[in-house]
Amino acid sequence: MKKTCLVTGCAGFIGSHLTRTLLDQGHAVVGVDNFASGYAHNMKGFADHADFTFYERSITEEGLLAELKDKHPELDVVFQLAAVVSVPYSVEHPELTMQVNFEANRDMLDAAREMGFSRFVFAGSAAEYGNEDRLPVKEEYADGAEQLSPYGVAKYKSSSYIEKSGYGCALRFFNIFGPRQDPTSQYSGVISRFVDFGLAGKNMVIFGDGEQSRDFLYVSDVVTSYMIAAGLDEQGRGPLTGVFNVGTGKGRSIRELAVVVAELTSAPKEIDFKSERAGDIKHSRADVSRITAVGFKAEVAFDEGLSRTVKWAAESQS
Ligand SMILES: NC(=O)c1ccc[n+]([C@@H]2O[C@H](COP(=O)([O-])OP(=O)(O)OC[C@H]3O[C@@H](n4cnc5c(N)ncnc54)[C@H](O)[C@@H]3O)[C@@H](O)[C@H]2O)c1
């Protein structure tokens, strides 16, 4: 069934991929972004699509959802991706982070429920777990965890609000990568940074011994999880209510990542090791049993995802 969906953060990395897929599958999209960290060029492939309407607005504006529903009475699904996305920025701006990453979600969720929207899907984060050393990380570990930044605190407050409300779904993403990821992003930039080093023919630089590991998920798998959560999956999986980790369930070391990117970019194979950065988490890996139980499985292999990302970066630099 074709739906009209609100995608906030549609000019961002993930929001632009989600919007593209929704339009490709025949849904209509109302997009909202204030360009805090997104770019108009990310919307290039769909900005003039007949079923896409864009509003340069902030999700913190009071009554925004009611106003959009007034203009688009068929609006029925909310994908809330807009957020302060940089962890260091959140440390410098804790109040703004709380407004955007928690209060705006709480208010949007309440409004969506009151207006009878069928689905509300929120972008949570592995940062909700803080420095968790029980691996793989299960959803319930976030309760009682000590988040390390205002970003993590606000994301956790939002997802627990959603969980307690019994309405909507929070997807807790681990490390996402793929085309259109901003290489200047400070919080998830390791792949973009390595690709930049590689394409410039420079040695990879690793802080620490390179054995630290992350659960890297390719962006098209993230989009699939969104479609499942909203009950729009073409294979009929979902919809979802509650909190779900989204990852591969596998950890990849930073050293392994550097080697694969060096091979793909014909960069030198030497790695420059620098001293470990204070506060860096050693390992992070999702327990994906909850989302696996509804049929989700990451489809794009790590090397294939990296190869697509390198290809995109090389083309966009030329
Ligand atoms: N990329 C990752 O690895 C990752 C991991 C976990 C969670 N997430 C979450 O996924 C979501 C999307 O992240 P992304 O990687 O695409 O980042 P992004 O910065 O590319 O996208 C975020 C978008 O939100 C917009 N935005 C920010 N504040 C806004 C506001 N007040 N009103 C309207 N728009 C606003 C930005 O301009 C940007 O276009 C975020 O909620 C992020 O926290 C991302």
Side-chain angles (χ1 to χ4, degrees):
M1 192 168 139
K2 300 307 173 195
K3 294 274 189 185
T4 300
C5 309
L6 171 63
V7 178
T8 72
C10 63
F13 160 48
I14 303 165
S16 61
H17 284 277
L18 173 62
T19 301
R20 178 79 263 175
T21 300
L22 286 165
L23 292 168
D24 285 349
Q25 295 187 6
H27 304 289
V29 177
V30 174
V32 165
D33 205 294
N34 69 351
F35 299 115
S37 58
Y39 302 95
H41 63 72
N42 282 340
M43 302 194 290
K44 223 162 127 194
F46 56 79
D48 54 1
H49 192 290
D51 292 326
F52 178 70
T53 315
F54 179 68
Y55 295 90
E56 186 176 341
R57 302 285 294 272
S58 170
I59 58 163
T60 55
E61 290 174 41
E62 215 182 311
L64 178 66
L65 192 63
E67 193 192 312
L68 294 172
K69 178 81 178 162
D70 225 34
K71 290 187 171 126
H72 304 271
E74 62 296 348
L75 252 189
D76 187 42
V77 176
V78 177
F79 292 102
Q80 179 83 306
L81 281 74
V84 168
V85 292
S86 159
V87 169
Y89 183 89
S90 82
V91 173
E92 286 160 24
H93 302 90
E95 278 175 24
L96 175 70
T97 304
M98 204 49 74
Q99 270 167 21
V100 180
N101 291 11
F102 171 56
E103 290 159 22
N105 294 314
R106 178 198 57 201
D107 298 348
M108 185 90 82
L109 180 110
D110 289 346
R113 189 173 37 189
E114 258 168 46
M115 286 185 261
F117 279 63
S118 67
R119 304 280 156 220
F120 182 97
V121 189
F122 167 71
S125 165
E128 295 175 46
Y129 296 110
N131 202 351
E132 176 58 68
D133 48 30
R134 289 168 293 176
L135 293 176
V137 183
K138 292 181 191 296
E139 285 85 350
E140 55 269 28
Y141 295 173
D143 307 322
E146 197 186 319
Q147 293 85 22
L148 307 177
S149 62
Y151 174 82
V153 171
K155 288 280 183 185
Y156 173 66
K157 278 174 78 88
S158 290
S159 58
S160 35
Y161 188 81
I162 290 168
E163 190 168 38
K164 287 188 191 112
S165 77
Y167 167 78
C169 166
L171 299 174
R172 281 195 190 133
F173 298 114
F174 281 61
N175 290 68
I176 305 168
F177 71 103
R180 296 205 283 278
Q181 186 162 33
D182 184 357
T184 62
S185 154
Q186 294 173 69
Y187 88 116
S188 60
V190 63
I191 290 189
S192 322
R193 232 176 20 252
F194 281 0
V195 171
D196 268 10
F197 287 145
L199 292 175
K202 293 185 194 155
N203 289 353
M204 303 288 155
V205 178
I206 290 182
F207 296 96
D209 60 7
E211 292 314 312
Q212 61 270 49
S213 63
R214 298 289 181 268
D215 187 336
F216 291 108
L217 185 69
Y218 189 67
V219 66
S220 60
D221 284 319
V222 171
V223 170
T224 302
S225 72
Y226 269 118
M227 302 304 276
I228 294 174
L232 302 178
D233 175 50
E234 290 186 321
Q235 294 176 36
R237 296 166 291 186
L240 307 179
T241 304
V243 178
F244 293 80
N245 280 342
V246 188
T248 62
K250 295 188 194 91
R252 297 280 181 171
S253 78
I254 300 300
R255 183 196 291 262
E256 191 184 351
L257 170 66
V259 169
V260 179
V261 176
E263 267 163 21
L264 287 167
T265 54
S266 322
K269 302 281 179 292
E270 294 85 51
I271 297 174
D272 292 344
F273 289 96
K274 298 207 166 157
S275 48
E276 204 171 305
R277 289 183 302 195
D280 267 1
I281 292 173
K282 190 76 185 163
H283 300 290
S284 168
R285 177 160 56 89
D287 181 309
V288 288
S289 3
R290 218 180 257 186
I291 196 151
T292 305
V294 298
F296 172 82
K297 187 175 175 293
E299 298 290 345
V300 179
F302 184 59
D303 291 22
E304 171 59 22
L306 283 178
S307 153
R308 291 185 202 173
T309 307
V310 167
K311 186 168 179 281
W312 167 82
E315 281 168 8
S316 54
Q317 283 182 15
S318 63

